[in-house]
Amino acid sequence: MAWSTRQLADLAGTTVKTVRHYHRMGLLKLPDRAPNGYKQYQTTHFVRLLQIKRLTELGLSLAQIRAMGSADEEPDEAIRVLDAELAGTIERLQRIRAELAVILEYRVPLDTPVPFGPVAEGLSERDRALLTVFSGVLKDDALDDLRQLMTEVTDGKAEDEFYHLPADADDATIEAVARHLAESIRRSQARFPWMADPGSAATHSPGFTEAAIGSAFAELFNAAQLKALARAQALIEETEPPGRREP
């Protein structure tokens, strides 16, 4: 028994356009033609078309199906590749679901990095932007340390002074803020040494990480705040033992 292109497509639950596309790709052999010029598809074409449909439903691309050759060959490598791709997709979807769960539980803005969802309440847009940069360049352990610091109850004096420092602050005010800030930074670095050298906790190259963090601070904080940060760092270096200073 022979079928026309339309009949074959209908039997396989596909379209004439798809059948013709498979011909162009070399996935489906062209049938013989009747004396009147019409294609005459046989059972072998029907079987092959159903095989292609089955393989695409499993997730194989048409290029992979073509590379496999005939359907009676063992497609081990293609299956292994597909399985690895599916495993990656499942992992990605599970991660997204976990992130959505955090967003729903803590009702945080979508742009808040997931590690900081539990402490996101009350964060400013600038805070979230800075945390986003950290999330993109620092290892998970470092992010956990930052989240821990954010959850702890402190007087917050140094941080408050710094965040509310106006751009036109005078030198005396900047110096006072820097000294309080230096003490706070020292305590944090004593607990989490990587904070003295962010590049050591980098997911990328240390230089890239430090440049990214530096650029973020430069864009997100005003001139007086940047002066206070620089002065605080200088104060920290002044009190470090000689052996611990950078060469």
Side-chain angles (χ1 to χ4, degrees):
M1 181 176 180
W3 297 289
S4 67
T5 306
R6 170 68 63 187
Q7 290 170 329
L8 179 71
D10 289 344
L11 282 170
T14 186
T15 65
V16 171
K17 183 178 179 180
T18 297
V19 173
R20 290 171 178 166
H21 181 58
Y22 292 166
H23 284 319
R24 288 193 296 270
M25 289 196 66
L27 290 169
L28 184 65
K29 292 181 180 180
L30 286 168
D32 295 330
R33 292 181 180 269
N36 59 7
Y38 288 105
K39 296 186 184 74
Q40 292 186 308
Y41 290 94
Q42 306 296 324
T43 300
T44 54
H45 297 97
F46 182 44
V47 170
R48 178 58 175 161
L49 189 55
L50 291 178
Q51 289 170 341
I52 296 171
K53 184 178 180 182
R54 167 63 175 162
L55 292 173
T56 56
E57 289 173 348
L58 286 173
L60 288 169
S61 69
L62 295 181
Q64 288 173 316
I65 296 172
R66 182 173 57 189
M68 285 166 54
S70 62
D72 60 350
E73 295 180 8
E74 291 294 332
D76 292 353
E77 183 58 29
I79 290 175
R80 280 193 289 268
V81 170
L82 176 60
D83 185 63
E85 292 175 352
L86 289 174
T89 299
I90 291 170
E91 182 180 355
R92 180 179 63 83
L93 292 176
Q94 289 175 333
R95 185 176 66 253
I96 292 173
R97 289 198 68 199
E99 293 178 2
L100 292 175
V102 172
I103 290 170
L104 288 172
E105 180 178 358
Y106 296 101
R107 300 180 180 274
V108 299
L110 286 174
D111 62 345
T112 303
V114 170
F116 300 100
V119 294
E121 185 177 359
L123 290 180
S124 66
E125 183 177 347
R126 178 177 60 185
D127 292 332
R128 293 200 305 273
L130 191 58
L131 293 178
T132 298
V133 172
F134 289 152
S135 297
V137 298
L138 296 177
K139 295 177 181 177
D140 290 342
D141 289 347
L143 299 179
D144 289 340
D145 294 340
L146 289 173
R147 183 177 63 246
Q148 182 176 336
L149 283 175
M150 294 174 67
T151 59
E152 293 175 354
V153 178
T154 63
D155 56 21
K157 180 179 179 181
E159 289 76 12
D160 287 344
E161 287 179 342
F162 173 73
Y163 276 99
H164 292 94
L165 188 64
D168 58 355
D170 58 39
D171 290 343
T173 303
I174 292 174
E175 179 69 18
V177 170
R179 290 187 177 278
H180 293 152
L181 195 60
E183 289 301 319
S184 176
I185 293 173
R186 282 194 197 97
R187 289 193 296 269
S188 296
Q189 290 179 352
R191 293 178 59 190
F192 308 115
W194 69 264
M195 291 186 175
D197 179 21
S200 65
T203 56
H204 303 78
S205 69
F208 176 89
T209 296
E210 291 170 3
I213 293 175
S215 296
F217 273 90
E219 292 181 21
L220 295 171
F221 296 99
N222 64 43
Q225 290 169 322
L226 294 176
K227 286 182 181 179
L229 278 173
R231 177 57 180 155
Q233 183 59 38
L235 289 169
I236 292 170
E237 292 175 357
E238 287 174 5
T239 58
E240 284 184 347
R244 291 185 55 192
R245 293 184 185 178
E246 293 291 330

